Amino acid sequence: MVFIRMNDGTVVRSIEPKVSISSLAFSSDDAWAIAWTEDGDFLQINPTSGDIRPILLPPYSGLIADLAFSPSAPLLAVASLGGPVRLWDVETLQLSAEFELGGTHVEFSADGQLLAMATAEKIQVWRLGEGLLSEWDMDEPGVSDLEFMEGTILAVATWSGLQIWDAGSGEFIRQTPYVGLLPEGAEIL
C-alpha cells in the first residue's frame, strides 16, 4: 500500500505487506485511516509510521461499498451493499446508529452534523441525533459519489453529470453535464 500526497505526487509512505483494499477513509486530521480489505477485515492504519492493526467490527453480510469519518467525532460510517448503513464509535467499537437504507456511498458534512447516504436511486440526509432531514429519489440511477460542499449543499456525481442539491430541503439546484477532477482550490460555479 502506498500513500501519495495528491497535490504534488510525493510518496508519503509505502506499507508492507501488500494488502488489497476495497474501501478507505482518513480521519479529519489525516493522522490515521481505516480500510476494509478484500478479505473482509477492517484495519486501522497510521500513514506516518506504517503501523497496521486489525479492528474487530462484526462481520458484514454484504460487500462494503464506502467508508466515511466524521470530522467532529470519532464516528465511522460504513455503507454495505444489501445491508444497512452503520455508524460506529471507533474508540469503543460500539454501534452508534443503524440506518435502514443500504448504501453505496456515505459522506459527512464539514461540521459532522449531517450524514448523507446514497443508493443508485435514492439519497437520504440525516441530522445526527435528531433524525431524517431529507430524502429524494434520483431521476436516473447511477449515483457514483457524494460530497458536501458548503453548509447543506450536496454534490452528487451521477453517470450523466454532477448534480447540486440542498440537502436540508432535498431541493434540486442544478446539474452540470461533465464531472472531472478539479485543481486544488477550484470552485464549482
Side-chain angles (χ1 to χ4, degrees):
M1 179 179 347
V2 178
F3 290 94
I4 299 172
R5 189 173 295 118
M6 293 301 292
N7 62 347
D8 64 7
T10 304
V11 173
V12 177
R13 161 100 31 212
S14 179
I15 298 176
E16 296 291 335
K18 292 188 173 21
V19 178
S20 294
I21 303 264
S22 294
S23 295
L24 180 72
F26 283 88
S27 61
S28 60
D29 62 1
D30 293 333
W32 51 286
I34 290 185
W36 188 72
T37 70
E38 290 181 0
D39 295 331
D41 299 318
F42 284 95
L43 302 174
Q44 182 175 351
I45 303 166
N46 181 321
T48 304
S49 70
D51 292 338
I52 299 175
R53 70 177 182 92
I55 297 175
L56 302 175
L57 293 177
Y60 278 75
S61 59
L63 175 71
I64 301 299
D66 199 13
L67 304 171
F69 268 111
S70 168
S72 63
L75 297 174
L76 176 72
V78 180
S80 65
L81 300 176
V85 171
R86 293 185 178 139
L87 198 56
W88 296 94
D89 182 315
V90 293
E91 291 178 350
T92 65
L93 299 182
Q94 297 297 310
L95 183 65
S96 177
E98 186 171 272
F99 305 93
E100 189 175 313
L101 183 69
T104 54
H105 302 284
V106 287
E107 182 69 28
F108 282 97
S109 61
D111 64 4
Q113 298 301 306
L114 302 179
L115 175 63
M117 56 192 73
T119 66
E121 300 88 19
K122 182 182 285 279
I123 308 284
Q124 286 185 344
V125 180
W126 293 79
R127 184 173 300 282
L128 298 181
E130 294 180 22
L132 185 64
L133 181 63
S134 63
E135 174 179 47
W136 62 91
D137 292 322
M138 298 298 292
D139 289 338
E140 60 182 80
V143 174
S144 60
D145 204 0
L146 300 170
E147 187 74 33
F148 275 99
M149 295 170 66
E150 185 174 315
T152 63
I153 303 302
L154 183 68
V156 180
T158 69
W159 296 336
S160 63
L162 181 68
Q163 297 183 1
I164 308 298
W165 293 81
D166 182 329
S169 66
E171 179 182 331
F172 177 76
I173 298 172
R174 68 181 172 278
Q175 177 168 336
T176 60
Y178 176 74
V179 176
L181 295 176
L182 297 174
E184 189 172 321
E187 294 182 17
I188 298 173
L189 303 175

